[in-house]
Amino acid sequence: MKVLKFGGTSLGDAGRMKNVAEIVSRQGRVVVVLSAIAGTTDSLVKIAEAYKHGELNQVKSIVEVLLKHYQRYVDNLFEQESNKQTAMTFVESQFAELVEANIETATSAIEFHILAKGEVISTELFALYCEENGLNAKLLYSLDFLRLTQENSPDEAYLSEHLNRILTGHENTDIFVAQGFICRNAFGEVSNLKRGGSDYSASLFGAAINAQEVQIWTDIDGMHNNDPRFVKNTTPIRELSFDEAAELAYFGAKILHPSSIKPARRKNIPVRLLNTLQPDATGTLISSESNNANIKAVAAKSGITAIKIRSSEMLQAPGFLRRVFEVFELYHTSIDVITTSEVAVSVTIDDTTYLESIVKTLNEFGNVDVDENLSIICVVGDFVAESTGIASRVIRALEAFPIRMISYGGSAHNITLLISEDVRVKALQALHEGLFDV
Ligand code: ADP
Ligand code: ASP
Ligand code: MG
């Protein structure tokens, strides 16, 4: 069985949803994971904000625009009048509680509850479309099998038990349709896997059912060697190892949610990135194999904060780093990049929720400097294959930019550099010219 995930742009209008059904119907028995239709989650974020502030008129006006959009979508999607009506009644019912301001859930969960509607609607419409067109599809509710643990990570044992039970209970079904992104928290309230999380859902479902393959269908022909939103002449990469893809996803390649490779890698399930607009294009295959091309791709992640701790105590002091890292553990903050000297250690973080407390605690060890508005640039490839000259090529390409930190050698497939956010786009462009044949 395969898991096929389609993102928002792949469902952008009724024609595209029909195209998705066409792609799905050619693949045998599948689990289809859908995002919300393009633009819906952004609108729901605005609605949630207005709802929390009691701005009901604002909620109503955004809902009105959404309803018009869905009316057009539904009119173009379905042939039968009765299906158009069923679909619109469902869409309206999803928004009714918003405009009437009577959501019955805990205040803390209201935002998640509102954000979940995008995926609930897209999957309902898709399942109904499959039914109208004689496809043997069953709509599943991800809230029934995807939940988070108390530590806010997916409960994979629970997922595997419940999802497999549902699938075996419907042996004659060809197409299972499930919502990406949404889940429950450990207390049973609606939650989600953070923005872009449908990729992660697909990988989790794939691992849970030991899928033959996970396909991530989007609006581009695979992982490119640089960020196509900022750099011209980027090209798709045919093959990536799990580690290379995980680094690129984590360090900013938006095509994949940062955590989406982990579950598939653990079960050695290949992940294929494919383009709904060109279904026959090769795309990118992510697997345990790596071909020996040296530098493969560059990505960048914004919103980085660097913390430098300088202390003479650090000299020849076993256990110093452990004490520093314990502070970050205490405040549930993960560190991305680390560099050290005899008397100082610098680390980067992207979650600044507990920054103040972290700095206060670290002050007990020595002088602490905090530097904000930084970006991590990540250069990924197979550096075992070409062991000389890689770092110098990277640094030469960036010679015009001040580099705050460099980390090389942590693994055989990445170099990470810290630069100011202001020069991120220019640095990506300079690396493209310096590293790839353009
Ligand atoms: P979806 O809605 O299908 O989840 P996303 O917008 O989340 O799609 O991801 C696809 C987009 O990711 C592409 O349109 C592209 O602009 C962007 N992107 C950023 N970095 C890369 C990269 N290295 N390779 C391919 N796409 C990338
Ligand atoms: N709909 C969600 C978002 O826009 C999840 C996703 O698209 O993967 O972030
Ligand atoms: Mg996405």
Side-chain angles (χ1 to χ4, degrees), residues 75-268:
D75 284 343
N76 292 329
L77 184 63
F78 298 103
E79 286 290 321
Q80 292 170 21
E81 206 49 50
S82 59
N83 283 339
K84 291 184 191 192
Q85 267 173 28
T86 308
M88 262 335 270
T89 306
F90 181 80
V91 174
E92 281 160 8
S93 74
Q94 287 299 306
F95 293 124
E97 61 177 354
L98 293 172
V99 290
E100 286 155 17
N102 65 352
I103 296 179
E104 286 177 22
T105 190
T107 321
S108 60
I110 281 182
E111 185 175 353
F112 292 115
H113 179 85
I114 295 175
L115 257 55
K117 293 179 185 295
E119 274 70 12
V120 169
I121 293 174
S122 64
T123 48
E124 185 83 21
L125 297 186
F126 185 73
L128 190 58
Y129 178 78
C130 287
E131 194 187 307
E132 185 176 273
N133 288 277
L135 297 172
N136 179 7
K138 172 158 183 60
L139 181 59
L140 306 181
Y141 293 96
S142 299
L143 301 185
D144 292 342
F145 42 84
L146 186 54
R147 73 170 189 197
L148 304 176
T149 61
Q150 302 248 7
E151 290 74 40
N152 271 333
S153 54
D155 186 338
E156 296 196 49
Y158 181 92
L159 171 63
S160 177
E161 183 193 333
H162 287 78
L163 184 53
N164 282 308
R165 189 182 303 153
I166 295 170
L167 300 195
T168 23
H170 295 88
E171 273 185 349
N172 298 323
T173 300
D174 296 328
I175 302 169
F176 294 93
V177 184
Q179 304 77 31
F181 179 55
I182 64 174
C183 59
R184 289 192 190 276
N185 65 17
F187 309 102
E189 295 162 334
V190 176
S191 185
N192 65 49
L193 301 176
K194 305 218 172 91
R195 295 301 306 267
S198 300
D199 305 327
Y200 193 19
S201 305
S203 181
L204 286 163
F205 297 169
I209 64 167
N210 282 312
Q212 177 195 345
E213 182 170 293
V214 172
Q215 299 178 356
I216 307 285
W217 288 83
T218 181
D219 57 0
I220 189 163
D221 54 346
M223 177 75 81
H224 278 220
N225 58 356
N226 206 325
D227 195 323
R229 293 169 298 173
F230 308 114
V231 179
K232 288 195 197 117
N233 302 321
T234 61
T235 49
I237 308 164
R238 295 284 161 245
E239 283 175 34
L240 282 170
S241 69
F242 286 125
D243 288 346
E244 291 162 347
E247 296 279 3
L248 288 170
Y250 187 75
F251 288 114
K254 187 186 173 235
I255 186 170
L256 284 173
H257 177 278
S259 307
S260 57
I261 293 299
K262 228 189 301 170
R265 169 169 54 188
R266 203 165 32 76
K267 291 283 186 83
N268 198 15

Side-chain angles (χ1 to χ4, degrees), residues 159-392:
L159 171 63
S160 177
E161 183 193 333
H162 287 78
L163 184 53
N164 282 308
R165 189 182 303 153
I166 295 170
L167 300 195
T168 23
H170 295 88
E171 273 185 349
N172 298 323
T173 300
D174 296 328
I175 302 169
F176 294 93
V177 184
Q179 304 77 31
F181 179 55
I182 64 174
C183 59
R184 289 192 190 276
N185 65 17
F187 309 102
E189 295 162 334
V190 176
S191 185
N192 65 49
L193 301 176
K194 305 218 172 91
R195 295 301 306 267
S198 300
D199 305 327
Y200 193 19
S201 305
S203 181
L204 286 163
F205 297 169
I209 64 167
N210 282 312
Q212 177 195 345
E213 182 170 293
V214 172
Q215 299 178 356
I216 307 285
W217 288 83
T218 181
D219 57 0
I220 189 163
D221 54 346
M223 177 75 81
H224 278 220
N225 58 356
N226 206 325
D227 195 323
R229 293 169 298 173
F230 308 114
V231 179
K232 288 195 197 117
N233 302 321
T234 61
T235 49
I237 308 164
R238 295 284 161 245
E239 283 175 34
L240 282 170
S241 69
F242 286 125
D243 288 346
E244 291 162 347
E247 296 279 3
L248 288 170
Y250 187 75
F251 288 114
K254 187 186 173 235
I255 186 170
L256 284 173
H257 177 278
S259 307
S260 57
I261 293 299
K262 228 189 301 170
R265 169 169 54 188
R266 203 165 32 76
K267 291 283 186 83
N268 198 15
I269 298 169
V271 178
R272 221 179 260 283
L273 309 182
L274 294 159
N275 186 355
T276 21
L277 309 174
Q278 289 171 25
D280 297 323
T282 321
T284 299
L285 175 64
I286 302 165
S287 70
S288 54
E289 309 283 315
S290 170
N291 64 3
N292 292 341
N294 48 71
I295 295 178
K296 290 192 185 165
V298 178
K301 181 173 171 181
S302 305
I304 303 296
T305 298
I307 304 170
K308 185 191 279 179
I309 306 116
R310 266 179 296 128
S311 169
S312 49
E313 252 187 75
M314 194 177 158
L315 258 175
Q316 307 264 315
F320 182 84
L321 287 179
R322 178 184 48 76
R323 286 194 285 140
V324 168
F325 294 149
E326 266 173 3
V327 176
F328 291 88
E329 188 182 353
L330 179 68
Y331 290 105
H332 302 286
T333 301
S334 46
I335 294 171
D336 286 331
V337 184
I338 306 163
T339 55
T340 63
S341 80
E342 281 298 294
V343 289
V345 53
S346 290
V347 302
T348 69
I349 60 172
D350 65 354
D351 178 357
T352 52
T353 316
Y354 300 107
L355 182 61
E356 213 178 298
S357 312
I358 289 172
V359 172
K360 209 166 147 202
T361 317
L362 289 174
N363 269 323
E364 292 164 21
F365 301 139
N367 289 332
V368 180
D369 293 324
V370 175
D371 215 351
E372 287 168 303
N373 300 322
L374 301 171
S375 270
I376 290 175
I377 299 257
C378 174
V379 180
V380 159
D382 182 352
F383 301 158
V384 178
E386 190 188 314
S387 51
T388 54
I390 300 237
S392 66

Side-chain angles (χ1 to χ4, degrees), residues 44-60:
L44 292 171
V45 169
K46 290 190 190 125
I47 290 176
E49 217 28 54
Y51 194 93
K52 280 194 292 191
H53 292 109
E55 294 161 358
L56 215 55
N57 283 338
Q58 176 71 357
V59 172
K60 278 186 185 149

